Amino acid sequence: MQATAAPTKTSSTQVAEGLYAVLHYLMKSSGRDVFQAMADADLTLTTYKALHALAERERGDDVCVKHVAEDLVLSMPAASRIVDGLHQRGYVERREDEQDRRMKRVRITAAGRAAMARINATRLAAGEQFAASLSETERKRLAAALAPLLERPEIADCLPAELGS
């Protein structure tokens, strides 16, 4: 017996709940692989978040450790420890600020971008596995629903053309 489709719910709350359910399912079903990729890169959730925040910046941009602390809602000492660990792994470069030598500036390295790319590739593989589990009709409907969203520049910028970001 085939289930009938549920009526489309369009209130912002209902759409948010549906989106949450899909994202939750994807995270739950791929969590083990993503966490393994993070462990392979010697990253914790917090160090991953710091690396991700640095990867989101334009290439060549660096940032004060103070901004890393603010982005992650951490104390300066905690952010400094995270940056030190990322520096020891070769994932970030660190230098003194030219105007204020007390300030440290950091930027992600090619090795840091490569670690992010491996983790993001694991996430993308989970999405591909999910898409492959859909029927052709479900895939077409999902693609049609995504199309107008992917026209938004802030979303299109997140497409995996470059997994390191």
Side-chain angles (χ1 to χ4, degrees), residues 2 26 34 36 40-41 50 53-55 60 66-67 71 73 84 87-88 94-97 106 113 115 148 156:
Q2 191 172 14
L26 289 172
V34 171
Q36 184 60 56
D40 292 346
L54 291 169
K66 177 183 176 186
H67 292 126
D71 286 351
V73 192
D84 287 345
H87 182 258
Q88 288 172 358
R94 184 177 51 192
R95 67 175 180 83
E96 289 180 351
D97 186 274
V106 294
R113 287 194 184 281

Side-chain angles (χ1 to χ4, degrees), residues 38 44-54 71-72 74 116:
M38 289 172 57
T44 64
L45 280 173
T46 305
T47 55
Y48 172 80
K49 286 177 10 183
L51 200 57
H52 186 269
L54 291 169
D71 286 351
L72 300 178
L74 294 172
M116 292 296 299

Side-chain angles (χ1 to χ4, degrees), residues 77-153:
S80 291
R81 285 190 300 274
I82 288 168
V83 166
D84 287 345
L86 291 171
H87 182 258
Q88 288 172 358
R89 291 177 193 91
Y91 292 157
V92 300
E93 294 175 349
R94 184 177 51 192
R95 67 175 180 83
E96 289 180 351
D97 186 274
E98 294 164 5
Q99 278 81 34
D100 185 349
R101 294 182 62 176
R102 295 170 298 170
M103 301 279 286
K104 301 295 181 220
R105 299 189 70 78
V106 294
R107 82 171 67 166
I108 192 168
T109 63
R113 287 194 184 281
M116 292 296 299
R118 288 188 301 274
I119 294 165
N120 290 341
T122 302
R123 286 186 164 159
L124 181 59
E128 290 171 349
Q129 185 176 14
F130 171 72
S133 76
L134 300 175
S135 70
E136 183 65 25
T137 300
E138 289 171 325
R139 272 195 304 279
K140 285 180 180 178
R141 286 180 176 169
L142 182 55
L146 291 174
L149 298 175
L150 293 171
E151 292 175 5
R152 294 176 61 166

Side-chain angles (χ1 to χ4, degrees), residues 54-65:
L54 291 169
E56 286 293 306
R57 301 191 180 276
E58 293 295 319
R59 286 193 194 277
D61 282 356
D62 56 9
V63 65
C64 294
V65 174

